[in-house]
Amino acid sequence: MEKFTTLSSRAIPLEVENVDTDQIIPARFLKATDKKGFGDHVFRDWRYHENGKINDEFILNDSTYSGSILIAGNNFGCGSSREHAAWALAGYGFKVIVSSFFADIFRGNALNNGILPIQVSEVFLKTLLDKVSKIPQTQIEVNLEEQLISISDTSQSEKFEIDAYKKTCLINGYDDIDYLLSITNKIEAFEARKNN
Amino acid sequence: MGKTLFDKVWDSHVVDSVENGPQVLYIDQHLIHEVTSPQAFEELENRDIPVFRPRQIIATADHNTPTTNQDLPIKDELSKKQLEQLSTNCSKNNITLYELGHKYNGIVHVMAPELGITQPGMTMVCGDSHTSTHGAFGTIAFGIGTSQVAQVFASQCLLLPKPKSLRVNVNGCLKNGVLPKDVILYIISKLGTNSGTGYFCEYAGSVFETMSMEGRMTVCNMSIEMGARGGMIAPDEITFKYLKNRQFAPSGSDYKNKVAFWKTLASDKNAVFDKEYFFEAEDIEPMITYGTNPGMGIKISDNIPYESNSSFLKSLLYMNLNAGESLINKCVNYVFIGSCTNSRIEDFRVAAKYIKGRRKAENVTAWLVPGSKQVEAQIVEEGLKDVFESAGFKLRQPGCSACLAMNEDKIPKGEYCVSTSNRNFEGRQGPGSRTILASPLVAAATAVAGKIIDITKELETLELT
Ligand code: SF4
């Protein structure tokens, strides 16, 4: 996994609540047997009209906005547990997703794929959305070590929470499998106790 | 302080704790299917890690399978490839697979409980969010992402912070015709779709104590739709009886010992929950949804509420419905009875009871999709298939089908579908499809009338058991 420490980027404001993983990556794209190419299909049915034409009204198709940070409405990533949603967002180039609330499984999936989900207050989310919508060039700074997200050239910032273990994983670029394999002896001892 | 059912099962599966971090939870049973496993196998292969406990894994093919002509080669190239990949991965790693056509094949959350694989006090995972279904047995069961599937392959463990506890109590007597699906749709409509995030939910109270295992599975299945990782119901005599003589359930003296242990799992009287809600059974009526998340539900005879937020308006626009409008008499051309929420034998019994002596409306295309080969066989055995066929319905073969429309069972754009599945997201049943979630009874009534009818008017005279 790629390491993550700090990021400074423009952001894309997606003012929609309850974005579910069926929207992030529709089921018909789940037939692949590897992780490649999902970025092309992220938000497929919002990005394209049914006739295959680009939907100019969708924010990802608006060239005014760019960046590797997605700012979305409350309850992002609800619904299906498909990790393909995280692969699609990562494949498209997002490294940070900001929302006032994340669904459990999505949060885990994002972290396991090097995407940092940052949960901010409703108020700060609104500030971010307003600012970025009005001034698309706004730079957003993320500092994982300090657990801080801030709007460049302003004093506006907010601390965010992250599990200490997950933070260490992201900063060092290692994942849960590495950790679990390092405690195989403990797992075997547990099995032995359990079967007695 | 007393312990909750959840605490008892969770605590007995903790292998270790990471300082200031998650716990290492041991997983007893891992279920896999064709869609969320290939990349996990690939990950292990790339890193040269063997599957740690292949005997604790069971595989089935369900998400991507056709529901007609299952004996013929699969037409869709990608689906075919995915299923072949599953077979290859399972045989390479010595994992038991109930592939398409096998007598135990079915939707993962239907086949595992009916085979007695799901048992009280276990921890169980699957790369599918409706794994919460198995909580009906007093099992900690939850959906995981593909990275986690790989973790369980590699170590039979997961790294997780312990969720908080939530209890939902429903007491009293359900009215005739109010089914477990209505109970859970009602709860979600009251609590919203993220009230359970970060929590594991226990369902308690007389309504669940008297509910069948099938009904309990329907309820626990949809726990994820209120954001909870899983739902649980304390195992009791109904659970023990259900498990007796199932293929993989313990038998003989082993069964007796297990029952003695299972009886200890109920939440202690003085256990404290982080959150608790109370509802009355008498307040619940047949439910339907009108929007694009499962929390947007109303009593079938109610009108769509007024709200002004943009998500609500976007949702109604997608559904082509208006605030204040009633859904009664709305013409519906598609009906789907199936999915891991409502494709068990009881669901088809209820539907057949209603359909018997009536006919399917001309305008309706109805898909009746059993949850497993065993359910399919039982439908035939009990004569329900004849009831359906003489009313103009056709029975399809088992699979997830129109629940997520990965195979060819797709609802056309713009069409309403009254569906017994669990999600009414935009495009869930096919691009542009409009899903209305309901119980198998409401679905059957819609299929007969060709439109949504006010079933509450018939409830007193309906004979369902
Ligand atoms: S029936 Fe639907 S919800 Fe259930 S496992 Fe299949 S796709 Fe998922």
Side-chain angles (χ1 to χ4, degrees), chain A residues 30-31 50 83 175 178 191, chain B residues 26 53 82 146-147 413:
Chain A
L30 308 187
K31 298 190 186 205
E50 212 197 341
E83 193 157 321
D175 67 10
D178 298 319
E191 287 178 325
Chain B
Y26 189 80
R53 295 288 179 252
Q82 214 170 35
T146 297
S147 299
K413 181 173 192 264

Side-chain angles (χ1 to χ4, degrees), chain B residues 317-331:
Chain B
L317 191 69
Y318 181 84
M319 293 297 290
N320 195 25
L321 294 170
N322 300 306
E325 187 182 6
S326 161
L327 284 160
I328 305 295
N329 289 328
K330 177 95 19 214
C331 175

Side-chain angles (χ1 to χ4, degrees), chain B residues 189 410 438:
Chain B
S189 77
K410 291 182 176 57

Side-chain angles (χ1 to χ4, degrees), chain B residues 354-373:
Chain B
Y354 186 87
I355 286 167
K356 191 166 188 177
R358 308 184 208 229
R359 272 205 74 76
K360 181 182 77 62
E362 284 298 325
N363 63 310
V364 168
T365 303
W367 291 330
L368 311 187
V369 186
S372 69
K373 288 296 272 185

Side-chain angles (χ1 to χ4, degrees), chain B residues 138-173:
Chain B
T139 309
I140 288 188
F142 53 92
I144 55 178
T146 297
S147 299
Q148 291 172 308
V149 172
Q151 289 161 31
V152 182
F153 280 164
S155 68
Q156 207 57 36
C157 286
L158 281 173
L159 281 154
L160 296 164
K162 186 176 176 181
K164 288 186 277 193
S165 63
L166 155 71
R167 182 159 63 183
V168 175
N169 302 273
V170 188
N171 282 297
C173 266

Side-chain angles (χ1 to χ4, degrees), chain B residues 62-63 107-109 128 130 221 339-341 399-400 403-404 422-423 428:
Chain B
D62 56 1
H63 279 64
I107 305 176
V108 61
H109 313 310
D128 184 281
H130 293 94
N221 174 277
S339 91
C340 57
T341 316
C400 292
C403 172
L404 90 165
N422 43 51
R423 284 184 174 147
R428 171 79 179 184

